[in-house]
Amino acid sequence: MSSNKRQRIERVPGARRAKLTAAPGTSAEPAVTDAEPSASDSPTAAGPNDERLRRDVPPHY
């Protein structure tokens, strides 16, 4: 396998960490998804503790 088909480590001037180049066959663009969840994603049946679970938050919040 030739070295140009692999990810490389690149130095970033002024940064503490290096970065990797893009993997072969990938895109830097994010995947496009629906912004709003569809009706089929939300549960139709509500349990007895659903409202309490939505209200409760851990003490560190």
Side-chain angles (χ1 to χ4, degrees):
M1 186 186 299
S2 65
S3 63
N4 62 354
K5 292 188 178 187
R6 297 188 61 180
Q7 284 183 302
R8 292 186 328 269
I9 299 172
E10 294 181 349
R11 285 189 155 186
V12 179
R16 293 180 64 146
R17 296 180 183 255
K19 70 174 191 173
L20 289 173
T21 58
T26 61
S27 171
E29 298 298 319
V32 177
T33 59
D34 292 335
E36 297 180 25
S38 65
S40 64
D41 292 341
S42 62
T44 57
N49 294 328
D50 286 353
E51 280 304 312
R52 180 178 174 202
L53 290 172
R54 288 186 186 101
R55 282 193 320 262
D56 287 350
V57 292
H60 64 276
Y61 276 21

